[in-house]
Amino acid sequence: MKDIKWGELGFAYTKTVKNVRSEWKDGKWGTPYSTDSEHINMHMAATCLHYGQEIFEGLKAFRGKDGKVRLFRVEENAKRMIDSANYLRMQYPSVDLFRDMVVEAIRLNAEFIPPYGTGASLYIRPLLIGTGAQVGVKPATEFMFLVFVTPVGPYFKEGFNAISVTIDRDHDRAAPLGTGHVKVGGNYAASMESGELAHKDGFANVLFLDSATHKFIDEFSAANFFGIRDGLYVTPDSHSVLPSITNKTLREIAEDLGLKVENRPIAVEELAQFTETGAVGTAAVISPVGKIYDPLTKHTYIYGDGKTAGEWSTKLYKTLQGIQYGEIEDTHGWNTVIEGI
Ligand SMILES: Cc1ncc(COP(=O)(O)O)c(C=O)c1O
């Protein structure tokens, strides 16, 4: 076990021992190998550098109450990478190759899996890039698939507190028929200015609207949106929203807990009717949202006291975390237990 202050880790990179790689060349994936290098040596005309042929994923493994290591819904991340790769016309790892390389990366860095009870977990970052040289705008013929891991701390160090966010009416994250539904680097580049301006104004996150009409809620820069009212869990249906695996999971948990789930367009005005709202994703599971500012109307929507997580958000969060840490039975079969580490 590494000598790390697990409870003090943030959501940041900590060097581990090895990463796992495979390269696509001559029409096939090469045998995966591990390396202790944190660097990639590639051609200066690689398509990932010029034309954004870059896709990533993010998932987590958890050391459970019983000492077992559980990897959460890895097949879903593999399938989402395939969807992203198809859109960017990139070669991709099969679900089996994706899972095998993720598991290998976890095994090789087992000493970095945070102990149970610290609130920390092992974040896994699969990366797919076009490494082949092109000067014209066309897909590469060579690719690299790489998996690295890094321990990350508990998201809510001072408790499960609500954040304040702003709607952004000056920037769009993704075009109506663009790349919002796939996990490609360009989407995040497009959200940087917006995020930095919002942070400067004291907001923790930005809520983007649909870029065609600016009437409906899309999502945050790196998390889906949900609202709760009258026994309903509502989350946007939009082509430009990334299909979050956490949100998919929470929709099932919400139904298990007796909420009705609706996946449909959400008009901005409906923000006034919710009793709880939140941002959902792998990093935090749920960040309860206590305040949403709309610069158009200068109105702030407030949920509860604006600071504390609501009852349903807390229940949903605790249930999902309980399943990930092996405290609650995994009746849906979401976890892959990694034996022998
Ligand atoms: C734009 C965006 N939406 C939603 C999510 C949440 O997805 P997931 O729950 O699969 O982590 C993420 C994080 O990956 C994201 O980057």
Side-chain angles (χ1 to χ4, degrees):
M1 183 68 62
K2 276 275 154 194
D3 182 20
I4 289 178
K5 294 199 169 76
W6 305 103
E8 290 174 22
L9 286 173
F11 193 77
Y13 178 76
T14 300
K15 184 177 177 352
T16 58
V17 199
K18 302 253 185 202
N19 58 86
V20 181
R21 303 177 184 194
S22 174
E23 283 156 47
W24 175 277
K25 227 177 169 172
D26 303 324
K28 59 177 191 319
W29 286 109
T31 308
Y33 60 95
S34 66
T35 170
D36 55 12
S37 172
E38 295 170 279
H39 298 273
I40 300 170
N41 189 2
M42 75 174 96
H43 196 285
M44 61 187 173
T47 60
C48 66
L49 299 176
H50 298 257
Y51 302 131
Q53 276 203 311
E54 189 277 345
I55 295 166
F56 66 99
E57 275 299 331
L59 64 162
K60 281 182 172 176
F62 304 84
R63 175 78 67 188
K65 197 174 179 188
D66 53 6
K68 290 184 180 162
V69 175
R70 291 174 174 79
L71 174 61
F72 193 69
R73 303 198 81 167
V74 60
E75 290 82 8
E76 293 293 327
N77 291 90
K79 286 191 245 163
R80 192 167 65 187
M81 179 167 270
I82 292 172
D83 289 343
S84 304
N86 278 323
Y87 196 82
L88 295 197
R89 296 300 171 110
M90 296 167 69
Q91 298 296 333
Y92 52 79
S94 65
V95 172
D96 285 344
L97 180 60
F98 185 102
R99 188 199 308 104
D100 290 352
M101 285 176 60
V102 166
V103 169
E104 185 63 7
I106 297 170
R107 283 190 190 285
L108 291 171
N109 298 289
E111 64 197 299
F112 288 92
I113 305 169
Y116 174 73
T118 57
S121 55
L122 190 72
Y123 181 71
I124 302 148
R125 172 54 66 88
L127 174 74
L128 178 64
I129 51 175
T131 47
Q134 294 287 13
V135 176
V137 180
K138 53 184 170 227
T141 54
E142 291 176 8
F143 297 88
M144 178 183 280
F145 177 54
L146 180 158
V147 182
F148 73 79
V149 301
T150 192
V152 293
Y155 209 84
F156 299 105
K157 288 203 180 82
E158 286 100 32
F160 185 48
N161 294 324
I163 55 170
S164 292
V165 307
T166 181
I167 291 175
D168 192 337
R169 290 187 175 272
D170 296 326
H171 304 83
D172 293 320
R173 175 180 172 271
L177 298 176
T179 54
H181 64 301
V182 288
K183 200 163 168 66
V184 304
N187 291 341
Y188 299 84
S191 73
M192 295 278 181
E193 165 155 293
S194 168
E196 291 303 303
L197 291 175
H199 290 155
K200 213 169 94 229
D201 288 341
F203 298 105
N205 212 332
V206 170
L207 185 55
F208 290 101
L209 304 180
D210 80 285
S211 42
T213 69
H214 295 144
K215 291 199 165 107
F216 299 95
I217 292 165
D218 256 2
E219 66 170 328
F220 300 96
S221 48
N224 277 183
F225 172 88
F226 76 85
I228 290 179
R229 65 175 176 93
D230 310 321
L232 288 179
Y233 176 102
V234 195
T235 190
D237 180 23
S238 158
H239 174 78
S240 45
V241 165
L242 186 78
S244 153
I245 294 154
T246 313
N247 195 0
K248 182 172 180 174
T249 306
L250 287 172
R251 293 202 295 265
E252 292 188 59
I253 293 175
E255 280 183 343
D256 292 349
L257 295 178
L259 289 169
K260 205 171 152 246
V261 171
E262 291 182 359
N263 189 200
R264 57 162 168 81
I266 301 177
V268 175
E269 296 73 48
E270 195 174 345
L271 288 177
Q273 292 168 32
F274 293 124
T275 48
E276 299 178 36
T277 62
V280 307
T282 295
V285 179
I286 292 177
S287 292
V289 173
K291 292 183 188 164
I292 304 178
Y293 175 66
D294 186 344
L296 182 71
T297 57
K298 308 232 179 319
H299 178 71
T300 300
Y301 300 91
I302 300 181
Y303 304 100
D305 64 2
K307 291 188 219 126
T308 319
E311 186 195 340
W312 279 110
S313 302
T314 307
K315 254 192 229 170
L316 290 162
Y317 172 78
K318 288 204 166 148
T319 307
L320 179 43
Q321 284 253 286
I323 294 168
Q324 291 172 325
Y325 283 109
E327 299 156 346
I328 295 177
E329 197 190 343
D330 177 22
T331 53
H332 294 273
W334 288 326
N335 294 317
T336 301
V337 172
I338 303 176
E339 305 289 349
I341 50 173

